[in-house]
Amino acid sequence: MKNFLSPLKLLLPLLLLPTFSLSHAAEAVSNTSNSNKLTCQGKMLNPINDICWSCMFPIKIGGSINLNYSNQEDNKSTPNDWFCACSKPTRAGVTVSFWEPTHLVEVVRTPFCMVSLGGISLKKQKVDASETADKADTSNKIQKLFGGAHKRGRNEQHEQHNAFYQVHWYKNPVVFWLEALLDNDCIEEGTLDIGWMTELDPTWKYPSLAVYQAPDSALFANVVAQAACAADCVKAATGFPFSKLYWCAGCHGSIYPLSGWMSGHFSEVQAAKLMVARMQAKMHRDLVAWRASGKDALCGYKLNPVMDKQNYKMAMTYPVAARKYKGRCCDPIGRSTLVRDSGKAFPYKGNQFAFQLFRKRDCCGAYKFKSD
């Protein structure tokens, strides 16, 4: 009997080796189905209940008629002129200003987890039995290159960083696709559409590459520049942050570098709001997002490579839809999350986030002259 067991002990590791290889391959390519169910949570965006529509206020007509609700906040970009005129197409009318819901931004801990699309995961859920460990290793290397999962703490390569998040940027002109207003030049047209995913962007993973996208970030990598963000935090607590301190995101942290790594991780919601600000600044730098406020933007959008923070307000849609606090459910970029957002992050279903962005829109609400 002993003579029979001795060879079996030698063969047992060889018999178990394929099992371990496949299990490691499965882990390299994707989590198992059960783990994905645990880590990727979300729900379909409900535009009626999840979006705080009072954030569109105040609505100003002619620069003097102010239609407000619950004393909603506004910046000072609104022109004071009553009448306006535009060409291409030729039209004339009155100036109109409001806050338009234009973009939806997800901040996720799990790569390829689409929170606002029902919590579906775009990652491969299973590993084919025929897939080799080499293919799995290749997939793992690609994932490491283009983006990984949420991280906390310090590591050897990024000792100064203590958190990493992935971000999904959607175009969400909800007023148009709900058909609340049609054939109106003041409303952005389109449907809910994925505009950018940081999992496919190497600059989001590596801050050293993000510097090439925003070379001016090197000017603010010092104590003096970062200390100025304290003043931006105070300003955001009572209104909109300073436009000139464009490298700061108020109480949330520093907008630079334009990557998913961050230091000063105080809370999940604070980190998520910082990622929203960084992503929107990145879209402006890539000339994807444009400015829609100011007298020169009455007839159309204007290029704005350096984002003006005063042109945006945000409201959470997941895991807890924003509710009114002191009559408001929207906050400008940089406002402290200490009071409003306490309890918004929790285990299991409360560690992925989505925010609706409202962009200031100054427009010439005009009658179009038909040409023969």
Side-chain angles (χ1 to χ4, degrees):
M1 187 66 177
K2 290 182 179 180
N3 294 334
F4 173 76
L5 290 176
S6 297
L8 186 61
K9 290 180 181 179
L10 295 175
L11 290 173
L12 187 59
L14 297 177
L15 293 173
L16 294 177
L17 182 61
T19 304
F20 283 108
S21 298
L22 285 174
S23 64
H24 285 300
E27 184 180 1
V29 177
S30 170
N31 296 325
T32 61
S33 300
N34 291 333
S35 63
N36 269 283
K37 290 178 181 177
L38 291 175
T39 57
C40 184
Q41 295 292 330
K43 70 182 186 68
M44 289 297 298
L45 176 69
N46 184 332
I48 307 301
N49 296 328
D50 294 340
I51 295 178
C52 186
W53 290 98
S54 62
C55 296
M56 292 186 66
F57 291 89
I59 299 174
K60 293 183 178 180
I61 302 174
S64 58
I65 300 178
N66 189 357
L67 306 176
N68 207 336
Y69 177 77
S70 297
N71 195 28
Q72 301 298 316
E73 294 174 290
D74 194 15
N75 62 15
K76 298 180 180 180
S77 70
T78 305
N80 293 322
D81 301 329
W82 255 97
F83 301 101
C84 58
C86 299
S87 58
K88 298 181 181 180
T90 303
R91 61 192 192 274
V94 297
T95 59
V96 179
S97 300
F98 61 100
W99 291 84
E100 181 184 9
T102 54
H103 300 96
L104 182 70
V105 184
E106 294 176 347
V107 181
V108 299
R109 298 160 57 98
T110 308
F112 301 102
C113 177
M114 316 307 288
V115 173
S116 300
L117 299 181
I120 63 173
S121 177
L122 300 185
K123 288 179 65 178
K124 190 174 180 181
Q125 299 294 319
K126 295 181 180 179
V127 173
D128 235 358
S130 60
E131 186 169 13
T132 63
D134 291 337
K135 290 183 180 179
D137 185 57
T138 301
S139 299
N140 192 33
K141 288 179 180 178
I142 293 175
Q143 181 177 336
K144 285 183 178 180
L145 175 63
F146 289 102
H150 166 79
K151 298 175 179 65
R152 289 285 299 274
R154 299 179 180 272
N155 58 55
E156 295 178 358
Q157 294 181 341
H158 304 278
E159 292 184 357
Q160 72 275 27
H161 304 129
N162 61 5
F164 178 80
Y165 291 86
Q166 300 287 4
V167 180
H168 306 144
W169 188 79
Y170 295 77
K171 291 188 66 177
N172 187 32
V174 62
V175 175
F176 178 81
W177 61 259
L178 280 180
E179 299 185 358
L181 289 174
L182 296 175
D183 193 23
N184 191 310
D185 290 324
C186 292
I187 299 297
E188 183 171 330
E189 299 182 0
T191 58
L192 179 64
D193 191 15
I194 302 174
W196 199 261
M197 296 179 64
T198 58
E199 289 89 343
L200 307 178
D201 184 357
T203 64
W204 192 258
K205 172 77 173 180
Y206 298 101
S208 56
L209 294 178
V211 173
Y212 293 99
Q213 188 180 32
D216 54 321
S217 61
L219 300 174
F220 312 115
N222 56 76
V223 176
V224 176
Q226 295 305 311
C229 294
D232 200 44
C233 175
V234 175
K235 183 71 164 55
T238 57
F240 287 86
F242 289 110
S243 296
K244 293 183 178 180
L245 300 181
Y246 67 89
W247 65 92
C248 300
C251 302
H252 302 157
S254 176
I255 285 182
Y256 294 121
L258 299 178
S259 75
W261 290 103
M262 65 164 294
S263 57
H265 187 286
F266 301 109
S267 72
E268 299 285 352
V269 181
Q270 166 258 336
K273 287 191 171 183
L274 175 61
M275 292 297 114
V276 172
R278 284 188 179 182
M279 192 64 187
Q280 198 64 21
K282 177 183 175 68
M283 292 296 99
H284 275 271
R285 187 56 61 97
D286 291 342
L287 306 183
V288 177
W290 292 29
R291 177 170 57 86
S293 64
K295 190 172 182 178
D296 61 335
L298 285 174
C299 297
Y301 303 109
K302 297 296 180 180
L303 282 174
N304 188 209
V306 178
M307 179 186 70
D308 187 347
K309 298 175 293 183
Q310 293 193 358
N311 285 332
Y312 291 98
K313 296 191 293 188
M314 69 175 79
M316 183 183 291
T317 61
Y318 185 87
V320 181
R323 294 294 178 259
K324 291 182 180 179
Y325 173 73
K326 294 184 179 180
R328 304 166 182 166
C329 49
C330 269
D331 283 331
I333 292 175
R335 182 161 296 173
S336 174
T337 61
L338 183 62
V339 178
R340 170 187 286 281
D341 297 311
S342 59
K344 295 286 182 69
F346 44 89
Y348 185 43
K349 291 188 177 182
N351 51 24
Q352 322 273 12
F353 303 93
F355 297 86
Q356 177 67 47
L357 278 181
F358 292 79
R359 180 180 62 189
K360 181 63 180 293
R361 182 76 164 110
D362 295 325
C363 180
C364 185
Y367 172 79
K368 295 180 183 179
F369 294 98
K370 295 183 179 180
S371 58
D372 295 333

